[in-house]
Amino acid sequence: MPDWLTIVLGIVGGIVLLWVVLLVVLWMQQRRADSDVDWRSIVRLVPDVIRLVKRLAGDPTVPRATRWWLLGLLGYLLLPIDLVPDFIPVLGYADDAIIVAIVLRFAIRHAGMDAIERHWPGTPASLRSVLTLAGYDKEQGEHQSPRTDR
């Protein structure tokens, strides 16, 4: 077998392996989440989340690294290509929701809860749903204070 073919097959095999690992991680995260989570309802919040991300990314008071993460999330959500296709039961919707949760948790830690609340375009109930998905506990005030380093 030619060397170039071995290299190409190794790269393709590595990408497939990473995708399978991602599927396993998403499946484990979905199993770890509360069984009451309705992923389809969470996906309905995507338009509000996109507006939130766009507003946060354009806010100069938000740390630069956080804005880069938010722009990456915005690009991922707007692209028609998903890491896990939506026709795969549960995981198809869960990958978007989990990625949003990870980036929003990062944004809350670095930009502060007040920035999230200031830019949220939806209802308070829908914000609570998104914050619950992101693992934010409002009663404990977890991650409320913004970081000062940029």
Side-chain angles (χ1 to χ4, degrees), residues 42 45 48 120-133 138:
I42 296 294
L45 295 172
D48 286 338
W120 180 251
T123 65
S126 62
L127 177 59
R128 278 192 305 276
S129 297
V130 170
L131 294 177
T132 300
L133 178 68
K138 196 163 188 159

Side-chain angles (χ1 to χ4, degrees), residues 17-34:
L17 181 63
L18 284 174
W19 188 75
V20 169
V21 168
L22 172 71
L23 284 177
V24 170
V25 168
L26 289 173
W27 179 76
M28 288 172 32
Q29 285 292 90
Q30 189 273 332
R31 303 275 294 159
R32 215 188 286 171
D34 189 9

Side-chain angles (χ1 to χ4, degrees), residues 7-9 45 60-62 86 94 105 122 130 134 136 141:
I7 293 171
V8 169
L9 289 176
L45 295 172
T61 64
V62 173
D86 288 338
R105 187 178 303 159
V130 170
Y136 179 79

Side-chain angles (χ1 to χ4, degrees), residues 102-148:
I102 290 168
V103 174
L104 284 181
R105 187 178 303 159
F106 182 84
I108 291 169
R109 285 184 182 153
H110 293 85
M113 188 60 212
D114 54 337
I116 304 294
E117 289 173 340
R118 184 173 64 245
H119 292 294
W120 180 251
T123 65
S126 62
L127 177 59
R128 278 192 305 276
S129 297
V130 170
L131 294 177
T132 300
L133 178 68
Y136 179 79
D137 186 2
K138 196 163 188 159
E139 280 126 26
Q140 292 182 356
E142 189 176 280
H143 314 307
Q144 238 174 341
S145 60
R147 291 180 59 178
T148 56

Side-chain angles (χ1 to χ4, degrees), residues 17-92:
L17 181 63
L18 284 174
W19 188 75
V20 169
V21 168
L22 172 71
L23 284 177
V24 170
V25 168
L26 289 173
W27 179 76
M28 288 172 32
Q29 285 292 90
Q30 189 273 332
R31 303 275 294 159
R32 215 188 286 171
D34 189 9
S35 60
D36 294 339
V37 173
D38 180 7
W39 294 107
R40 291 177 192 257
S41 296
I42 296 294
V43 169
R44 288 188 193 114
L45 295 172
V46 169
D48 286 338
V49 170
I50 289 173
R51 282 192 291 274
L52 170 69
V53 168
K54 185 178 173 185
R55 291 174 181 177
L56 285 170
D59 184 350
T61 64
V62 173
R64 185 175 306 164
T66 304
R67 287 186 286 166
W68 281 107
W69 273 90
L70 291 164
L71 287 171
L73 173 65
L74 188 61
Y76 176 78
L77 291 175
L78 293 177
L79 286 175
I81 300 169
D82 270 349
L83 291 175
V84 181
D86 288 338
F87 63 82
I88 296 176
V90 180
L91 290 180

